[in-house]
Amino acid sequence: SAVISQKPSRDICQRGTSLTIQCQVDSQVTMMFWYRQQPGQSLTLIATANQGSEATYESGFVIDKFPISRPNLTFSTLTVSNMSPEDSSIYLCSVVREPQGTQYFGPGTRLLVL
Amino acid sequence: DAKTTQPPSMDCAEGRAANLPCNHSTISGNEYVYWYRQIHSQGPQYIIHGLKNNETNEMASLIITEDRKSSTLILPHATLRDTAVYYCIESGTYKYIFGTGTRLKVLA
């Protein structure tokens, strides 16, 4: 398995502001992902965080709204920009542990936008 | 859209086996079946995965049909702490598409 931490664990923010979420892994990993889970819904993949290059975004998600950094193989950040109440969700990072290829998820960041 | 289908909810008596089905009729030859569970909005927890053979670990067993179009996750002796949403995912590229999962309620 992998030990993954996220900061903050939860936050309440005002609309129009931005929040940066951090994801730290206990060892180097090649692949990291960011997911969103809206209230009462399943998880949706936002993007793949690539080390040394721009993130790869899924349909419906854009870099201006969700900029992602991946400065090294153990750390990534996701910023939720210009927030609105519709951005209220749980945001989760995950990593792939090789060679099994299984994903392990962080505890999530609970965001409420007022 | 998710490529797997699962019943939305199931109940199971504590101490009995919980059998959770999943249909993945469009699975291709190099795609694995993964099972995760999510307990009350925590991060999803990995349970087990398989390609075509049945698998067993300390948490559960995974039975995959010979044609690979469906599978069953078996929790042999369900406890109250197994109450969660269980997700079945097929993937060959590390990118997961989550469906709505099965909400398992273990009853005392």
Side-chain angles (χ1 to χ4, degrees):
Chain A
S1 64
V3 176
I4 306 168
S5 61
Q6 287 186 231
K7 288 182 182 179
S9 59
R10 60 180 67 232
D11 208 341
I12 301 173
C13 301
Q14 297 298 318
R15 70 170 66 212
T17 62
S18 298
L19 177 72
T20 295
I21 302 167
Q22 299 179 5
C23 178
Q24 179 76 53
V25 192
D26 65 336
S27 60
Q28 294 185 340
V29 292
T30 306
M31 305 191 74
M32 292 180 78
F33 302 94
W34 286 97
Y35 289 81
R36 179 177 74 182
Q37 186 171 28
Q38 294 175 299
Q41 304 295 314
S42 186
L43 283 78
T44 301
L45 179 63
I46 297 172
T48 304
N50 301 310
Q51 196 268 327
S53 64
E54 202 169 272
T56 305
Y57 290 84
E58 297 299 308
S59 176
F61 297 96
V62 295
I63 188 170
D64 290 346
K65 177 66 176 177
F66 297 102
I68 289 171
S69 78
R70 178 92 191 269
N72 57 52
L73 294 177
T74 63
F75 185 78
S76 177
T77 66
L78 168 76
T79 298
V80 186
S81 303
N82 188 24
M83 288 184 286
S84 68
E86 292 70 37
D87 295 318
S88 298
S89 296
I90 300 173
Y91 292 87
L92 302 110
C93 66
S94 74
V95 304
V96 174
R97 180 67 82 193
E98 297 179 79
Q100 304 94 321
T102 51
Q103 279 194 40
Y104 294 93
F105 289 81
T109 295
R110 285 154 185 74
L111 171 62
L112 176 64
V113 184
L114 302 176
Chain B
D1 291 346
K3 298 186 285 183
T4 61
T5 55
Q6 300 175 251
S9 64
M10 292 180 66
D11 290 342
C12 177
E14 188 177 21
R16 306 295 294 267
N19 297 285
L20 293 93
C22 177
N23 286 325
H24 32 81
S25 58
T26 61
I27 195 168
S28 60
N30 65 341
E31 289 184 317
Y32 286 77
V33 178
Y34 296 87
W35 282 85
Y36 286 77
R37 71 182 183 185
Q38 188 173 29
I39 298 173
H40 191 54
S41 297
Q42 298 176 17
Q45 177 190 22
Y46 166 76
I47 302 173
I48 199 167
H49 74 285
L51 183 62
K52 56 182 179 181
N53 297 323
N54 298 337
E55 302 288 344
T56 296
N57 63 20
E58 64 278 3
M59 288 183 69
S61 294
L62 174 60
I63 308 298
I64 303 174
T65 57
E66 194 168 336
D67 63 7
R68 300 187 70 235
K69 292 182 185 296
S70 65
S71 62
T72 300
L73 178 75
I74 301 172
L75 307 178
H77 306 286
T79 70
L80 298 178
R81 283 180 288 187
D82 292 321
T83 293
V85 178
Y86 287 77
Y87 295 101
C88 164
I89 301 162
E90 60 173 78
S91 177
T93 64
Y94 303 140
K95 284 175 62 171
Y96 289 359
I97 300 175
F98 281 79
T100 53
T102 295
R103 186 173 296 275
L104 175 69
K105 190 180 215 180
V106 180
L107 306 172

